[in-house]
Amino acid sequence: MSNVIQTPTLLAAAITTALLAGCAGQATSESTAAPAAEKSMAAAPMAMAGPPPLAPLGEPPIPPDNLQSPAKIELGKILFFDPRLGGDASTGCSTCHEPDQGWAWAEDFSRGYPGTVHWRNSQTIINSAYFPRQFWAGSASSNESQARGAARGGVAGNGEADIMEARLRVIPEYVERFREAFGTEWPIVRDAWRAIASFERTLVQRDTPLDKYLLGDKTALDAEQLKGKEIFEGKGGCIQCHNGAITSDQDFHNIGIPPNKRWEEDGLAQITFRFEQYAKGQTQEGYRKAKSDWGFYYRSKNAWDKGKFRTAPLRYLKYTAPYMHNGVFYTLEEVVDFYDRGGFDEDGRTTMFKENKSSLIKPLGLTDDEKDALIAFLESMSGEEMLMEKPAMPEYAPLFTLAELEAAQEAK
């Protein structure tokens, strides 16, 4: 369930929303601050003033109510690739989070349930173990919650819990694996999300050039990357939102992302867009008139949250294009240019909620060399591409043998 994620930020990462967040400035947390405990998930050292500094990634947090075990992780790996955890048994987690597409989906909008398209960009699941908020509007607080939400979402997995659980129970290998991992007589669908979450917590990358540099290897970044780091932390202002070990303040920002033009041209995308307005409790007026994604507003229902998304982490962004919540930028060059213009695309378009646009987003005045250096630094947040061979799917057991069917016929 993708690699990706989907979330407000700056440059990048699969995404993004608030990257180059404007120019130098103070660490401003806009709206709805997360609980302090959530914000400390990255274990980054907190500065007394200003944003937390970048930090190497530590061990992923493991929830005490879902401890890791080899049996659970292996079960979760198989389930992650199994499309039977969805409505019509054709859409599994990996459908939108393909390993060779950055564990995301390399199009502006994610793949959707058969007959639909999604309406937001798929975010990578690499390092998702560290995120106290998941999805672009932060609607899930854990990997377990994210897995359940994606499998049941109307334009995603569209699965029904009882049907998915029934399928698991007629697959003998799953019966055995669930029993070994959870000690239950029969598979329980809630445990499927727990197993998938355990697997996703193994998809961690901690050996990037940036991590090595921050751990003391001063040769891990070259001269251009170090120049980019200086811009990231200074003139570019990126660190205002992309900070700490996970390169995200996990807050919500409107950085000026314009609507995706696909909503003007693709009839199916228009239907999905309108459906999501209805599904997320939009007002009647909003349902009729909405022309862009209202973001965090759908959860808070506060007008000042229109157009805000969770700051997307920048790690692994080398493999997760296109970027932003609606995938409007296909290259990091486009992203950097967007921020350099003060939150405008090459056609001069910006957010439809200008009143909510972050004050952090301002023209940067970067030179071409500075842009190149910044991109080189951003790419140092990615290590080697993480690929994986898909496991074989276990077979259903026949409900009846031929002999049993024949016996039943004769008995009539």
Side-chain angles (χ1 to χ4, degrees):
M1 335 206 130
S2 162
N3 85 7
V4 225
I5 214 216
Q6 4 335 340
T7 358
T9 325
L10 252 19
L11 247 185
I15 1 206
T16 345
T17 333
L19 182 86
L20 278 166
C23 315
Q26 321 57 347
T28 306
S29 195
E30 301 179 333
S31 83
T32 58
E38 290 186 354
K39 287 198 164 186
S40 65
M41 285 289 288
M46 299 294 289
M48 294 302 293
L54 294 172
L57 204 56
E59 294 282 351
I62 305 299
D65 60 348
N66 191 24
L67 299 177
Q68 301 284 84
S69 74
K72 195 186 298 181
I73 293 169
E74 184 61 23
L75 171 60
K77 176 181 176 180
I78 300 172
L79 292 170
F80 180 88
F81 290 97
D82 196 332
R84 288 169 289 193
L85 278 179
D88 68 351
S90 71
T91 309
C93 304
S94 63
T95 301
C96 302
H97 299 275
E98 289 280 359
D100 62 357
Q101 297 191 39
W103 294 83
W105 184 247
E107 293 184 11
D108 51 359
F109 296 154
S110 179
R111 296 177 73 177
Y113 191 70
T116 75
V117 295
H118 208 274
W119 71 319
R120 287 177 177 161
N121 180 255
S122 174
Q123 296 181 280
T124 184
I125 60 169
I126 299 298
N127 295 328
S128 63
Y130 299 87
F131 305 158
R133 290 173 167 173
Q134 305 200 20
F135 292 128
W136 284 104
S139 57
S141 59
S142 67
N143 291 79
E144 288 85 352
S145 176
Q146 189 277 337
R148 180 181 66 249
R152 300 168 60 171
V155 295
N158 196 30
E160 296 175 76
D162 55 347
I163 299 298
M164 292 187 285
E165 186 172 88
R167 289 184 187 136
L168 297 174
R169 294 185 176 198
V170 292
I171 300 173
E173 182 175 331
Y174 276 149
V175 173
E176 291 301 317
R177 287 185 177 276
F178 274 81
R179 186 173 298 151
E180 180 182 4
F182 296 102
T184 53
E185 182 177 3
W186 297 100
I188 298 173
V189 73
R190 183 179 77 97
D191 288 336
W193 319 134
R194 299 173 71 202
I196 290 171
S198 292
F199 167 64
E200 291 178 339
R201 292 190 176 102
T202 69
L203 300 176
V204 169
Q205 185 170 76
R206 300 172 54 202
D207 60 350
T208 68
L210 176 61
D211 286 293
K212 294 175 183 176
Y213 177 84
L214 294 172
L215 288 170
D217 180 0
K218 298 309 178 185
T219 67
L221 299 183
D222 62 26
E224 185 179 39
Q225 291 168 327
L226 288 173
K227 178 180 177 181
K229 181 174 182 290
E230 183 177 337
I231 296 167
F232 185 93
E233 297 172 330
K235 185 176 180 179
C238 315
I239 198 160
Q240 294 172 107
C241 300
H242 294 279
N243 49 54
I246 60 173
T247 64
S248 169
D249 62 2
Q250 290 292 296
D251 208 345
F252 300 91
H253 304 267
N254 180 332
I255 61 168
I257 300 300
N260 191 316
K261 292 181 179 178
R262 186 170 168 186
W263 282 325
E264 301 173 9
E265 306 158 352
D266 182 335
L268 195 57
Q270 291 170 3
I271 292 172
T272 297
F273 177 75
R274 205 56 59 188
F275 164 77
E276 288 293 340
Q277 302 301 317
Y278 176 80
K280 294 185 175 352
Q282 179 61 282
T283 63
Q284 177 73 2
E285 181 180 8
Y287 176 82
R288 298 294 179 191
K289 297 181 178 178
K291 301 296 183 184
S292 69
D293 190 336
W294 291 23
F296 188 61
Y297 165 87
Y298 298 120
R299 298 190 59 221
S300 74
K301 299 300 186 289
N302 295 317
W304 56 84
D305 287 326
K306 292 177 182 177
K308 291 182 180 179
F309 296 87
R310 181 179 66 96
T311 301
L314 304 181
R315 289 176 173 275
Y316 209 63
L317 87 175
K318 189 175 179 180
Y319 310 104
T320 58
Y323 306 108
M324 305 299 180
H325 70 274
N326 54 8
V328 290
F329 301 133
Y330 276 78
T331 67
L332 288 177
E333 286 77 7
E334 288 181 90
V335 175
V336 171
D337 284 340
F338 166 79
Y339 284 106
D340 189 49
R341 298 187 196 100
F344 292 88
D345 70 8
E346 61 181 358
D347 297 324
R349 300 189 311 137
T350 188
T351 174
M352 299 188 75
F353 308 106
K354 298 182 180 65
E355 69 279 12
N356 295 335
K357 190 172 178 179
S358 172
S359 60
L360 298 173
I361 305 299
K362 302 174 183 176
L364 299 175
L366 299 178
T367 66
D368 289 345
D369 285 346
E370 288 174 331
K371 292 177 183 177
D372 291 342
L374 182 56
I375 292 172
F377 175 64
L378 290 171
E379 291 181 339
S380 78
M381 298 180 184
S382 301
E384 296 295 321
E385 187 173 12
M386 297 173 63
L387 299 175
M388 179 178 292
E389 187 173 344
K390 297 179 181 180
M393 294 295 105
E395 299 290 337
Y396 285 117
L399 294 178
F400 308 101
T401 65
L402 179 59
E404 289 171 332
L405 287 174
E406 290 175 344
Q409 285 295 104
E410 293 175 358
K412 286 185 178 180

